[in-house]
């Protein structure tokens, strides 16, 4: 079990002004921020980040959406981080997300679902390394 996970606040949420409220919910849930940046992905970068979904029907839509505006990328720390963060964000489709979860509170659709959360310790490391150098994390 690792104590770190990786998140992005996605372009739908940054453009609606939800960044502060989402970070507040993350911090109040006990996660501490170990690295963070406000940035915007190119379509190439979004495609690489979501490479595992390249064969899925929604891949083009996903890449277009994820490169459509700014995102916040962050490495978060907490005991049992990956699993606890997935619980905090809720189901991929906000219609199925539990009450009080970030996606229930802030997401509008299965595609534009406000936040990303790593699905395994291994992917948390890969995804954190995608965005942050050693000098940018503490
Ligand atoms: P997650 O781990 O809960 O983020 O879900 P997945 O790994 O299954 O999918 C990755 C991301 O692809 C999701 O968070 C959505 O942004 C997007 N996505 C998943 N399913 C769909 C879909 O049916 N349509 C669209 N447009 N995007 C989707």
């Amino acid at each position: 079990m690792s104590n770190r996970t990786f998140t992005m606040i996605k372009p739908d949420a940054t453009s609606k002004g939800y960044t502060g409220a989402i970070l507040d919910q993350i911090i109040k849930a006990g996660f501490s921020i170990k690295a963070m940046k406000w940035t915007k992905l190119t379509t190439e970068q979004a495609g690489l980040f979501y490479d595992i979904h390249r064969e899925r029907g929604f891949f083009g839509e996903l890449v277009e959406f994820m490169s459509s505006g700014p995102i916040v990328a962050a490495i978060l720390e907490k005991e049992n981080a990956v699993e606890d963060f997935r619980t905090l964000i809720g189901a991929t489709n906000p219609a199925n997300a539990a009450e009080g979860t970030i996606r229930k509170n802030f997401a509008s659709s299965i595609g534009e679902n406000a936040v990303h959360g790593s699905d395994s310790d291994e992917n948390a490391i890969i995804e954190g390394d995608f965005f942050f150098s050693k000098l940018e994390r503490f």
Side-chain angles (χ1 to χ4, degrees), residues 10 50 52-53 56-59 61-62 65-66 86 89-93 103 109-119:
K10 298 187 179 183
Y50 283 110
I52 195 165
H53 294 309
R56 309 280 286 275
F58 59 80
F59 181 74
E61 236 172 78
L62 176 59
F65 163 59
M66 286 304 297
R86 297 284 293 190
I89 68 177
T92 308
N93 186 344
R103 282 171 169 166
S109 70
I110 190 168
E112 306 204 355
N113 59 5
V115 280
H116 168 82
S118 304
D119 63 4

Side-chain angles (χ1 to χ4, degrees), residues 59-72:
F59 181 74
E61 236 172 78
L62 176 59
V63 165
E64 192 181 329
F65 163 59
M66 286 304 297
S67 56
S68 67
I71 58 135
V72 175

Side-chain angles (χ1 to χ4, degrees), residues 36-126:
M36 186 162 72
K37 66 173 70 166
W38 174 270
T39 186
K40 186 170 181 289
L41 294 169
T42 63
T43 52
E44 288 76 15
Q45 289 166 334
L48 277 177
F49 185 87
Y50 283 110
D51 197 50
I52 195 165
H53 294 309
R54 201 166 282 276
E55 304 307 321
R56 309 280 286 275
F58 59 80
F59 181 74
E61 236 172 78
L62 176 59
V63 165
E64 192 181 329
F65 163 59
M66 286 304 297
S67 56
S68 67
I71 58 135
V72 175
I75 295 173
L76 303 173
E77 189 171 272
K78 181 184 182 295
E79 207 176 295
N80 201 31
V82 166
E83 194 184 337
D84 285 3
F85 194 70
R86 297 284 293 190
T87 302
L88 179 68
I89 68 177
T92 308
N93 186 344
N96 303 326
E99 252 351 283
T101 59
I102 292 176
R103 282 171 169 166
K104 186 69 169 186
N105 291 345
F106 300 105
S108 49
S109 70
I110 190 168
E112 306 204 355
N113 59 5
V115 280
H116 168 82
S118 304
D119 63 4
S120 65
D121 291 344
E122 188 191 7
N123 283 336
I125 292 165
I126 293 169

